[in-house]
Amino acid sequence: MDTSEISTYEQGVFHLPKGRFVPHLQFDARSFKKDSEYNGVVISLPAGLASDLDWSLQKEIAESVVENKGQILWKLDFSLHDSSFSYTDSMAFQSFTIAIEQFVKTLHANFAANTLGVIIYQGDIDFYHRFTWDASLQNNLEEWLVQMGQEENGLHHYNEFYEKEIGNLLLSRYCTSVFSEYLHRLISYLPDTLPVFCLLDVTEESSFAKVAHLLSKERFPHVHLIIRGSIYPFGELLWDDTCIRSMPIQDNIIVGVCVPSEEICGLSHLSDLEIIIQDLSQKKIPFRMIFESLLNEQWGELEEIVIISSGISVQGKRKLQGFCAAGGFVVSYGKKLGLIQEMSFEDYKKKSE
């Protein structure tokens, strides 16, 4: 493939050979018109276990979109959101990889110049109910609890987890990790240069702090997440029933809110994080979520980082020392860490009044 045809994606913007492209993509691909408010479409390709992989209709739609000067974001619909199935089923996985290979050889090859990327999942984040809980998945859960140092919680079978709040968090964390690993295995069959997306609906989630923790860049390193239903900023794109579009532009975001690392983050930290998010929102202070494991990569353009002091690791404190040395300011929720440029969250709120 000619590399000059490759699309790249960064912070809500596609970089195409012909220039910068801010997406406003219509789900109803058949009705796409050249002079409409949209500049491209999402074309869904049935790729589930029952699909015959006949995408001739989708090819016709794509030809019409190209003729009308539109861009295409493909969606490989494996029906992962529709019903429960086994993530350990090697035959199902092989079937999905065959669909991916056909997509790469046909539609992607034929429409490379107009392809923005590919969606590999669209649905909610209740992954627990997407699983068939066979013996293998249960055994993996028990091993994971030991690795995470959580075997002392008295939780053994997945059905017991909903009886305790900590169990609910651990089960959500485990299921999201398994789901992410499965997606990343599928992604390995796609071209490295093709941007990959998930459309996630968090409308039913009551805790934004939990959502931010579960959907961290650390857990989804090679997938761009597009969120629906969040009342707080998460990512650069949004989606609803009709389209995918850019987030409203917020200039001069200088505040980052740090999500504790996977190894440390517990119920108390998520509760503290929820308070921080709500307080900043009430004071109309724009912020973006960052993650301790990626602090060095994500603090660009930030002047202040709000942390939960009890949720900062030794490595995290060293990174914050570097942030302060570079002129940044740390706002600590809880006991201060003794950094050269630091204030308490309570003092920070008073200063903002």
Side-chain angles (χ1 to χ4, degrees):
M1 182 187 299
D2 184 352
T3 55
S4 66
E5 296 180 336
I6 293 174
S7 161
T8 61
Y9 174 83
E10 184 180 17
Q11 296 184 339
V13 176
F14 290 92
H15 299 280
L16 309 181
K18 57 187 177 183
R20 188 172 179 269
F21 180 86
V22 179
H24 192 188
L25 308 177
Q26 183 178 7
F27 281 118
D28 183 10
R30 292 192 190 192
S31 64
F32 178 76
K33 299 297 181 185
K34 180 178 178 181
D35 297 321
S36 73
E37 62 181 300
Y38 303 104
N39 53 15
V41 301
V42 176
I43 297 181
S44 183
L45 307 172
L49 299 179
S51 173
D52 61 3
L53 304 184
D54 178 6
W55 299 327
S56 53
L57 176 59
Q58 286 79 6
K59 182 174 182 290
E60 292 178 10
I61 294 173
E63 289 169 347
S64 174
V65 170
V66 171
E67 185 178 339
N68 282 278
K69 309 300 182 185
Q71 297 294 316
I72 302 168
L73 181 60
W74 304 96
K75 183 178 83 169
L76 284 165
D77 185 0
F78 300 116
S79 297
L80 300 182
H81 60 287
D82 287 338
S83 59
S84 177
F85 79 100
S86 175
Y87 280 69
T88 59
D89 185 342
S90 59
M91 295 299 292
F93 184 84
Q94 184 178 6
S95 174
F96 296 154
T97 63
I98 290 171
I100 291 174
E101 289 168 354
Q102 177 163 318
F103 162 72
V104 172
K105 292 176 182 177
T106 57
L107 294 175
H108 180 240
N110 293 336
F111 296 95
N114 293 84
T115 290
L116 298 173
V118 61
I119 299 164
I120 57 171
Y121 175 77
Q122 179 179 356
D124 61 38
I125 62 171
D126 183 16
F127 303 123
Y128 165 77
H129 290 105
R130 303 284 172 262
F131 292 172
T132 297
W133 283 89
D134 53 23
S136 176
L137 200 60
Q138 170 68 30
N139 291 336
N140 288 343
L141 172 59
E142 293 172 1
E143 293 174 4
W144 180 83
L145 287 172
V146 173
Q147 292 172 3
M148 296 297 295
Q150 297 288 345
E151 70 275 18
E152 303 297 327
N153 281 307
L155 302 166
H156 304 288
H157 194 272
Y158 67 91
N159 280 331
E160 300 172 353
F161 279 68
Y162 272 109
E163 298 174 8
K164 295 184 178 181
E165 192 176 6
I166 183 63
N168 212 311
L169 173 61
L170 289 171
L171 189 60
S172 296
R173 187 185 295 175
Y174 170 73
C175 292
T176 306
S177 295
V178 171
F179 182 78
S180 170
E181 290 169 9
Y182 192 85
L183 292 188
H184 281 84
R185 285 173 59 203
L186 288 175
I187 290 170
S188 68
Y189 290 83
L190 287 163
D192 293 339
T193 54
L194 187 66
V196 180
F197 298 85
C198 279
L199 305 187
L200 301 177
D201 188 345
V202 301
T203 305
E204 298 300 319
E205 301 298 321
S206 59
S207 169
F208 179 76
K210 182 180 176 181
V211 169
H213 168 62
L214 293 177
L215 304 184
S216 70
K217 190 66 178 175
E218 185 178 13
R219 188 171 277 111
F220 291 90
H222 303 298
V223 182
H224 303 289
L225 305 182
I226 304 177
I227 305 299
R228 171 181 184 168
S230 173
I231 61 174
Y232 300 114
F234 195 107
E236 297 83 21
L237 299 178
L238 302 170
W239 68 281
D240 56 28
D241 288 338
T242 59
C243 67
I244 295 172
R245 66 188 190 280
S246 297
M247 285 272 290
I249 296 175
Q250 285 187 303
D251 294 327
N252 302 320
I253 297 180
I254 61 170
V255 179
V257 177
C258 183
V259 180
S261 66
E262 181 88 346
E263 294 75 19
I264 294 178
C265 192
L267 288 173
S268 64
H269 300 111
L270 292 182
S271 177
D272 292 344
L273 191 60
E274 199 74 38
I275 292 170
I276 292 169
I277 291 168
Q278 290 176 2
D279 284 354
L280 292 178
S281 297
Q282 287 172 1
K283 292 186 174 296
K284 301 188 185 321
I285 299 174
F287 64 90
R288 59 182 168 91
M289 308 303 295
I290 58 176
F291 301 90
E292 189 199 282
S293 60
L294 301 170
L295 265 177
N296 294 20
E297 302 171 32
Q298 296 184 326
W299 75 38
E301 299 181 0
L302 296 180
E303 298 178 11
E304 302 164 346
I305 296 178
V306 183
I307 65 159
I308 301 166
S309 56
S310 64
I312 293 295
S313 67
V314 173
Q315 295 87 346
K317 183 176 179 180
R318 288 179 186 153
K319 293 176 183 178
L320 291 171
Q321 288 171 334
F323 178 70
C324 292
F329 212 97
V330 172
V331 179
S332 292
Y333 186 94
K335 186 178 180 180
K336 292 199 288 187
L337 299 180
L339 302 171
I340 57 174
Q341 298 204 96
E342 181 181 16
M343 74 166 61
S344 71
F345 187 68
E346 288 304 314
D347 288 343
Y348 179 74
K349 287 196 297 181
K350 291 175 184 176
K351 187 193 79 166
S352 304
E353 290 176 354

